[in-house]
Amino acid sequence: DGGITQSPKYLFRKEGQNVTLSCEQNLNHDAMYWYRQDPGQGLRLIYYSQIVNDFQKGDIAEGYSVSREKKESFPLTVTSAQKNPTAFYLCASSTTSGRRASSYNEQFFGPGTRLTVL
Amino acid sequence: KQEVTQIPAALSVPEGENLVLNCSFTDSAIYNLQWFRQDPGKGLTSLLLIQSSQREQTSGRLNASLDKSSGRSTLYIAASQPGDSATYLCAVKGNRDDKIIFGKGTRLHILP
């Protein structure tokens, strides 16, 4: 089955601790994304990566870090510097704009990780 | 900076009615626009993807239109059913990079 997996589904963290959220895809997509969703809000972009070993900050990157050492994996670390980390975190992937076929560039999402800071 | 707006924020409609959800964006230099559905506590499910050169896409009871020059897209749902109750989000990918910007969504409730 092709798709995106995120683990764990629920995560609890004590204040002051760093925590890493996992995102893996087997769709052979070049681009991967991390979003944060708060109640009643849309999705806000944290970081995105268009290619291995490269990534760009989104709109709310402060207090987060990422790595892209492999095409399939894009882990997100929520650091203790993030002031309000409790949220629902969603990972997504897509092909990049360089591929022009009409079916490309559709974005696919994982099931999400709900992080709660105690 | 691209901004995406969805109106209304919430909508309740009796079962069987046709309905339209709206999405507007400020920068017309888009690569594509995608409509998603999200059920409570779940990830997003892609419904329709419209490339910038297209004007509409259809899938079953869903039809999405795109008017790039006016910065608008609509999602038309025909013969609504209780199972259509969910939050619907639109997202825009820009021409200049692979950044994707989301609206805040419309929470749809179909009344049985």
Side-chain angles (χ1 to χ4, degrees):
Chain A
D1 276 333
I4 304 175
T5 57
Q6 291 185 244
S7 61
K9 187 173 182 179
Y10 298 98
L11 189 56
F12 298 89
R13 185 195 97 176
K14 289 185 180 177
E15 210 169 314
Q17 290 180 337
N18 292 353
V19 63
T20 297
L21 281 59
S22 166
C23 178
E24 304 277 332
Q25 54 98 2
N26 60 4
L27 300 167
N28 199 33
H29 286 166
D30 292 308
M32 295 187 74
Y33 307 79
W34 273 106
Y35 295 91
R36 170 187 172 132
Q37 187 176 37
D38 294 285
Q41 298 289 319
L43 276 67
R44 292 185 291 169
L45 182 64
I46 304 173
Y47 269 98
Y48 67 109
S49 167
Q50 294 168 286
I51 197 167
V52 174
N53 292 324
D54 187 42
F55 47 83
Q56 286 80 40
K57 291 182 179 180
D59 298 320
I60 55 166
E62 187 176 348
Y64 299 98
S65 66
V66 293
S67 63
R68 187 87 187 275
E69 296 175 3
K70 298 187 297 182
K71 188 174 186 177
E72 310 80 49
S73 178
F74 191 41
L76 173 75
T77 297
V78 184
T79 74
S80 57
Q82 168 50 233
K83 291 186 171 58
N84 186 20
T86 295
F88 188 47
Y89 290 87
L90 288 157
C91 178
S93 72
S94 74
T95 56
T96 57
S97 299
R99 298 178 185 271
R100 296 289 172 176
S102 62
S103 61
Y104 287 170
N105 282 238
E106 188 174 2
Q107 198 178 36
F108 295 90
F109 278 79
T113 292
R114 188 166 299 279
L115 173 64
T116 302
V117 174
L118 305 171
Chain B
K1 180 185 172 186
Q2 178 74 273
E3 293 182 5
V4 180
T5 304
Q6 291 186 247
I7 295 173
L11 182 64
S12 292
V13 174
E15 181 179 0
E17 286 200 3
N18 303 328
L19 61 100
V20 174
L21 306 180
N22 297 295
C23 173
S24 61
F25 46 95
T26 55
D27 185 352
S28 62
I30 67 168
Y31 186 71
N32 63 35
L33 184 146
Q34 195 168 354
W35 281 94
F36 294 89
R37 169 190 174 132
Q38 185 179 30
D39 293 290
K42 305 288 186 185
L44 276 65
T45 300
S46 177
L47 297 174
L48 289 164
L49 172 72
I50 310 178
Q51 301 295 338
S52 62
S53 58
Q54 298 173 325
R55 294 196 60 91
E56 66 176 347
Q57 283 285 343
T58 298
S59 175
R61 293 183 294 110
L62 306 180
N63 176 278
S65 69
L66 174 64
D67 183 343
K68 207 170 60 165
S69 60
S70 67
R72 292 182 183 176
S73 176
T74 61
L75 179 67
Y76 175 83
I77 302 177
S80 59
Q81 302 170 357
D84 294 331
S85 297
T87 296
Y88 291 80
L89 297 114
C90 74
V92 169
K93 178 181 271 193
N95 259 338
R96 301 177 187 90
D97 55 32
D98 284 300
K99 201 171 175 180
I100 297 173
I101 305 299
F102 278 79
K104 292 186 178 181
T106 294
R107 195 169 61 255
L108 177 64
H109 183 210
I110 305 300
L111 304 166

